[in-house]
Short mmCIF file of all heavy atoms in Angstrom, two decimals:
data_model
loop_
_atom_site.label_atom_id
_atom_site.label_comp_id
_atom_site.label_asym_id
_atom_site.label_seq_id
_atom_site.Cartn_x
_atom_site.Cartn_y
_atom_site.Cartn_z
N LEU A 45 12.29 37.79 54.36
CA LEU A 45 12.20 37.05 55.62
C LEU A 45 12.99 35.75 55.53
O LEU A 45 13.75 35.40 56.44
CB LEU A 45 10.74 36.75 55.95
CG LEU A 45 10.48 35.79 57.12
CD1 LEU A 45 10.93 36.43 58.43
CD2 LEU A 45 9.01 35.40 57.19
N LEU A 46 12.83 35.00 54.43
CA LEU A 46 13.55 33.75 54.25
C LEU A 46 15.06 33.98 54.26
O LEU A 46 15.81 33.18 54.85
CB LEU A 46 13.13 33.09 52.93
CG LEU A 46 11.67 32.63 52.82
CD1 LEU A 46 11.40 32.05 51.44
CD2 LEU A 46 11.34 31.60 53.90
N ALA A 47 15.50 35.05 53.62
CA ALA A 47 16.93 35.35 53.60
C ALA A 47 17.45 35.66 55.00
O ALA A 47 18.53 35.19 55.39
CB ALA A 47 17.20 36.53 52.66
N LEU A 48 16.69 36.42 55.78
CA LEU A 48 17.12 36.76 57.13
C LEU A 48 17.17 35.53 58.02
O LEU A 48 18.09 35.37 58.84
CB LEU A 48 16.16 37.80 57.73
CG LEU A 48 16.27 39.22 57.17
CD1 LEU A 48 15.18 40.09 57.76
CD2 LEU A 48 17.65 39.82 57.45
N ILE A 49 16.18 34.64 57.88
CA ILE A 49 16.16 33.41 58.67
C ILE A 49 17.41 32.58 58.39
O ILE A 49 18.03 32.03 59.30
CB ILE A 49 14.89 32.61 58.38
CG1 ILE A 49 13.66 33.32 58.96
CG2 ILE A 49 14.99 31.19 58.95
CD1 ILE A 49 12.35 32.71 58.54
N ALA A 50 17.79 32.51 57.11
CA ALA A 50 18.97 31.73 56.74
C ALA A 50 20.23 32.33 57.35
O ALA A 50 21.11 31.60 57.84
CB ALA A 50 19.09 31.65 55.22
N THR A 51 20.34 33.65 57.32
CA THR A 51 21.55 34.29 57.86
C THR A 51 21.64 34.14 59.38
O THR A 51 22.74 34.14 59.94
CB THR A 51 21.60 35.78 57.50
OG1 THR A 51 20.46 36.45 58.08
CG2 THR A 51 21.56 35.98 55.99
N LYS A 52 20.51 33.98 60.05
CA LYS A 52 20.51 33.84 61.51
C LYS A 52 20.63 32.38 61.95
O LYS A 52 20.78 32.11 63.14
CB LYS A 52 19.23 34.45 62.10
CG LYS A 52 19.10 35.96 61.88
CD LYS A 52 20.26 36.72 62.52
CE LYS A 52 20.11 38.22 62.31
NZ LYS A 52 21.26 38.97 62.87
N GLY A 53 20.50 31.47 61.00
CA GLY A 53 20.68 30.05 61.34
C GLY A 53 19.40 29.31 61.68
O GLY A 53 19.45 28.18 62.15
N GLY A 54 18.25 29.90 61.45
CA GLY A 54 16.99 29.21 61.72
C GLY A 54 15.92 30.17 62.20
O GLY A 54 16.18 31.33 62.53
N GLN A 55 14.68 29.65 62.24
CA GLN A 55 13.54 30.50 62.60
C GLN A 55 13.60 30.97 64.04
O GLN A 55 13.31 32.14 64.33
CB GLN A 55 12.24 29.74 62.33
CG GLN A 55 11.98 29.46 60.87
CD GLN A 55 10.66 28.77 60.63
OE1 GLN A 55 9.77 28.79 61.48
NE2 GLN A 55 10.52 28.14 59.47
N ARG A 56 13.94 30.09 64.97
CA ARG A 56 13.97 30.50 66.38
C ARG A 56 15.08 31.52 66.62
O ARG A 56 14.88 32.49 67.36
CB ARG A 56 14.15 29.28 67.29
CG ARG A 56 14.18 29.64 68.78
CD ARG A 56 14.06 28.42 69.65
NE ARG A 56 12.73 27.83 69.56
CZ ARG A 56 11.70 28.25 70.27
NH1 ARG A 56 11.83 29.26 71.12
NH2 ARG A 56 10.53 27.65 70.15
N GLN A 57 16.24 31.31 66.00
CA GLN A 57 17.33 32.27 66.16
C GLN A 57 16.95 33.64 65.59
O GLN A 57 17.26 34.68 66.17
CB GLN A 57 18.60 31.76 65.48
CG GLN A 57 19.20 30.51 66.13
CD GLN A 57 18.64 29.22 65.55
OE1 GLN A 57 17.50 29.18 65.10
NE2 GLN A 57 19.45 28.17 65.57
N PHE A 58 16.27 33.60 64.44
CA PHE A 58 15.80 34.85 63.86
C PHE A 58 14.80 35.54 64.78
O PHE A 58 14.87 36.76 65.00
CB PHE A 58 15.15 34.60 62.49
CG PHE A 58 14.34 35.76 62.00
CD1 PHE A 58 14.93 36.88 61.45
CD2 PHE A 58 12.95 35.73 62.10
CE1 PHE A 58 14.18 37.96 61.02
CE2 PHE A 58 12.18 36.80 61.66
CZ PHE A 58 12.79 37.92 61.11
N ALA A 59 13.85 34.77 65.32
CA ALA A 59 12.84 35.34 66.22
C ALA A 59 13.49 36.00 67.43
O ALA A 59 13.10 37.09 67.84
CB ALA A 59 11.85 34.27 66.65
N ASP A 60 14.50 35.33 67.99
CA ASP A 60 15.20 35.89 69.15
C ASP A 60 15.89 37.21 68.78
O ASP A 60 15.81 38.19 69.52
CB ASP A 60 16.23 34.89 69.68
CG ASP A 60 15.58 33.67 70.32
OD1 ASP A 60 14.39 33.75 70.67
OD2 ASP A 60 16.28 32.64 70.47
N ALA A 61 16.57 37.21 67.63
CA ALA A 61 17.31 38.40 67.22
C ALA A 61 16.37 39.56 66.89
O ALA A 61 16.69 40.73 67.14
CB ALA A 61 18.19 38.07 66.01
N ALA A 62 15.21 39.23 66.33
CA ALA A 62 14.26 40.26 65.90
C ALA A 62 13.30 40.69 67.01
O ALA A 62 12.46 41.56 66.80
CB ALA A 62 13.47 39.78 64.69
N GLY A 63 13.41 40.05 68.18
CA GLY A 63 12.54 40.42 69.30
C GLY A 63 11.11 39.95 69.14
O GLY A 63 10.19 40.55 69.70
N ILE A 64 10.91 38.85 68.39
CA ILE A 64 9.57 38.30 68.19
C ILE A 64 9.29 37.31 69.31
O ILE A 64 9.98 36.30 69.43
CB ILE A 64 9.46 37.63 66.82
CG1 ILE A 64 9.70 38.68 65.72
CG2 ILE A 64 8.10 36.97 66.63
CD1 ILE A 64 9.81 38.09 64.34
N LYS A 65 8.29 37.59 70.13
CA LYS A 65 8.04 36.79 71.33
C LYS A 65 7.52 35.39 71.02
O LYS A 65 7.79 34.46 71.77
CB LYS A 65 7.07 37.54 72.24
CG LYS A 65 7.62 38.84 72.81
CD LYS A 65 6.62 39.50 73.73
CE LYS A 65 7.19 40.78 74.34
NZ LYS A 65 6.23 41.44 75.25
#
Side-chain angles (χ1 to χ4, degrees):
L45 171 67
L46 295 177
L48 288 175
I49 290 172
T51 61
K52 296 299 180 183
Q55 294 183 18
R56 180 168 291 277
Q57 294 89 330
F58 165 77
D60 291 341
I64 299 171
K65 295 182 178 180

